[in-house]
Amino acid sequence: MSALEPRDADVAPRPGARAVAHVAHDDDTKGSVLDPAHRALSIGIVSVVLLIAFEATAVGTAMPVAARELNGVSVYAFAFSAYFTTSLFAMVLAGQWSDRSGPLAPLTAGISAFAAGLLLSGTAGAMWLFILGRAVQGLGGGLVIVALYVIVGRAYAEHLRPAIMAAFAASWVVPSVVGPLAAGTVTEHLGWRWVFVGIPALVVFPLALALPAIRRTASGPADPTAPVAPWDRRRIRLALGISAGAALLQYGGQELRWLSLLPAAVGVALLVPAVRGLLPHGTWRAARGLPSVVLLRGIAAGAFVAAESFVPLMLVTQRGLSPTLAGFSLAAGGLTWALGSWIQARPWTEPYRERLVVLGMVLVALSIAAAPSVLITAVPVWVLAAVWGLGCLGMGAVIASTSVLLMKLSAPEEVGANSAALQISDGLSNVLLLAAGGAAFAALGGGAVGHAVSSSAATGSHPAAFAAVFLPMAGVAAVGAWVATRLHGTEARA
């Protein structure tokens, strides 16, 4: 799927740290992301994002049919949350791995695991195997996203980072338009499995183009003259705790039985100390500066993803759309997301960055709140496409702005760890809000729509289950609009 307001105090590298050749210098105001020095790298890493975008849009379109055929509609949310749960551990691992030896190895390992998970899901004969494949994908995705942030922080000067983040967002445009249509067509004529097993073929081009460029510009530790720091085993244990805790909490929320309170309680007991140890101090009270940046990222991503995950299922079961049309109804969101990211990259937005992010979160909240209006049959389906496009416009500005500010507040040798914190907030919020949304969905009879998925008519009988997902997520996004007023400050970094 980043505020550029001037900092009160720029963050300097730790004493003794020296800039190295592949770390971009902030006083360099020349060049572009497509100049000869950056062209191969930019095309390569944007191609990696393009691969992730095709996966997200195509898999989201095929997911309702896969869940029906594998008799797994009642655990539909697990297919999404499994990805985010395992990615939490991988993000912490990737942060340390990248800071110690550079982002090349975690990026390669992540892309390989991502492809392996797609193949496992695509060949699954049972829902639990399908969910396992999504979990393997999550391991790969967590490694990849943190490695990409480290590459951007090292290889691009500060004035180029908004542009490369905008390019990341723009790379979602074609997949958002073509992905749902292609995935829906393949699902209807060849079967949903081909959507999963076909995507790994896209791995070859990003690997061939990006890896040599990364080796030249961003490989190795940030300071090759400094001793290699040992692995922080405490953070690894906390990462395992946050992943296990999120999984247990998701399971407890989905089961809706008194006995499920026990794994849910264990999950909370694991999550609380892990989150406190892995996120910047003051995150949960929205302390100004980096803690609020990290918190906002989680609020925005979690609320939006939890809501969007149920949009295709709602359109298929409640309005009788085919998988192709259900996915295609969200295609405009790719264009508006890229537009929002492009706007935040314009120099004239710098003095108004915080206001832009606040406005973005307001658009997200209104979009999510308006989505369940299509449960009323008199409301045309295109209304959802329109309001979702506005939400994506806001998300494009918010997500890119938080990414840019994180790198602005991080010393070169800390980009990996701080990027991991940002992505943990993103992923953990996805898991928790998907768990909450999935529990509300199941509690109001949402798991009983398996037959409706296969019907061409609007035979779903539990529209309230969908409203119970969207309306609370709109409230969460509204809280994010307040947090967005606290991005500018001097709080200490993690």
Side-chain angles (χ1 to χ4, degrees):
M1 246 172 101
S2 321
L4 283 179
E5 293 191 75
R7 285 174 293 170
D8 290 335
D10 283 342
V11 178
R14 289 172 177 163
R18 296 185 298 175
V20 294
H22 60 258
V23 177
H25 296 278
D26 289 342
D27 60 354
D28 181 7
T29 58
K30 299 179 180 179
S32 73
V33 296
L34 290 177
D35 62 24
H38 295 97
R39 186 179 300 124
L41 177 63
S42 297
I43 295 174
I45 61 176
V46 168
S47 297
V48 173
V49 178
L50 189 69
L51 166 67
I52 296 173
F54 265 114
E55 182 274 339
T57 55
V59 168
T61 301
M63 195 78 77
V65 177
R68 175 185 62 82
E69 292 192 4
L70 295 174
N71 298 315
V73 172
S74 61
V75 291
Y76 183 76
F78 277 123
F80 292 95
S81 62
Y83 180 100
F84 297 119
T85 299
T86 55
S87 69
L88 292 171
F89 171 74
M91 289 168 188
V92 178
L93 179 64
Q96 289 200 46
W97 197 351
S98 297
D99 286 340
R100 294 180 77 254
S101 58
L104 183 62
L107 180 68
T108 305
I111 292 178
S112 300
F114 192 80
L118 282 167
L119 292 174
L120 180 58
S121 290
T123 57
M127 192 63 181
W128 71 269
L129 278 175
F130 181 88
I131 294 173
L132 178 61
R134 293 287 291 164
V136 175
Q137 273 185 263
L139 287 173
L143 292 173
V144 168
I145 191 64
V146 172
L148 287 176
Y149 272 60
V150 175
I151 291 167
V152 171
R154 291 189 182 187
Y156 295 88
E158 186 173 300
H159 74 284
L160 295 179
R161 293 170 190 164
I164 194 65
M165 289 299 172
F168 283 176
S171 67
W172 280 78
V173 173
V174 173
S176 295
V177 175
V178 177
L181 180 61
T185 302
V186 171
T187 298
E188 291 178 24
H189 294 91
L190 298 178
W192 63 267
R193 297 182 185 277
W194 287 100
V195 174
F196 288 83
V197 300
I199 293 176
L202 300 174
V203 169
V204 177
F205 175 75
L207 283 176
L209 190 59
L211 297 188
I214 295 169
R215 188 176 291 109
R216 291 192 305 269
T217 61
S219 62
D223 182 8
T225 65
V228 177
W231 285 95
D232 188 338
R233 296 182 179 180
R234 175 179 174 272
R235 287 183 67 85
I236 296 297
R237 289 194 299 269
L238 291 175
L240 289 171
I242 204 171
S243 295
L248 288 170
L249 191 60
Q250 167 73 10
Y251 174 79
Q254 191 73 29
E255 286 300 300
L256 297 177
R257 295 181 300 176
W258 285 110
L259 289 178
S260 67
L261 292 176
L262 178 59
V266 174
V268 171
L270 290 171
L271 277 176
V272 171
V275 169
R276 290 175 62 87
L278 293 173
L279 297 187
H281 178 69
T283 296
W284 296 113
R285 59 182 173 86
R288 289 189 176 274
L290 184 62
S292 285
V293 172
V294 172
L295 178 60
L296 177 62
R297 178 59 164 262
I299 288 174
F304 191 81
V305 168
E308 188 176 52
S309 298
F310 285 86
V311 168
L313 189 66
M314 179 173 65
L315 293 176
V316 170
T317 62
Q318 303 301 308
R319 297 303 296 264
L321 269 64
S322 68
T324 302
L325 291 177
F328 199 64
S329 65
L330 303 179
L335 293 169
T336 56
W337 190 302
L339 177 61
S341 186
W342 179 84
I343 290 172
Q344 66 80 35
R346 300 306 91 197
W348 59 265
T349 64
E350 186 168 340
Y352 312 102
R353 185 70 56 178
E354 187 172 283
R355 297 180 186 177
L356 178 64
V357 176
V358 172
L359 176 60
M361 287 307 303
V362 170
L363 289 177
V364 172
L366 293 175
S367 173
I368 297 173
S373 64
V374 298
L375 294 169
I376 303 172
T377 55
V379 176
V381 172
W382 62 261
V383 170
L384 186 144
V387 299
W388 211 252
L390 288 176
C392 288
L393 177 69
M395 286 294 290
V398 171
I399 297 300
S401 291
T402 55
S403 300
V404 170
L405 184 57
L406 173 106
M407 286 179 279
K408 193 179 183 70
L409 295 174
S410 301
E413 69 275 12
E414 295 179 337
V415 173
N418 288 348
S419 296
L422 188 76
Q423 298 303 326
I424 287 169
S425 177
D426 188 318
L428 179 61
S429 180
N430 286 332
V431 172
L432 295 181
L433 293 182
L434 271 170
F441 183 74
L444 294 180
V449 298
H451 175 70
V453 176
S454 64
S455 174
S456 60
T459 58
S461 58
H462 303 285
F466 291 98
V469 173
F470 287 99
L471 297 182
M473 297 309 155
V476 173
V479 173
W482 171 77
V483 176
T485 66
R486 302 177 60 79
L487 302 183
H488 182 58
T490 58
E491 287 284 338
R493 295 174 284 109

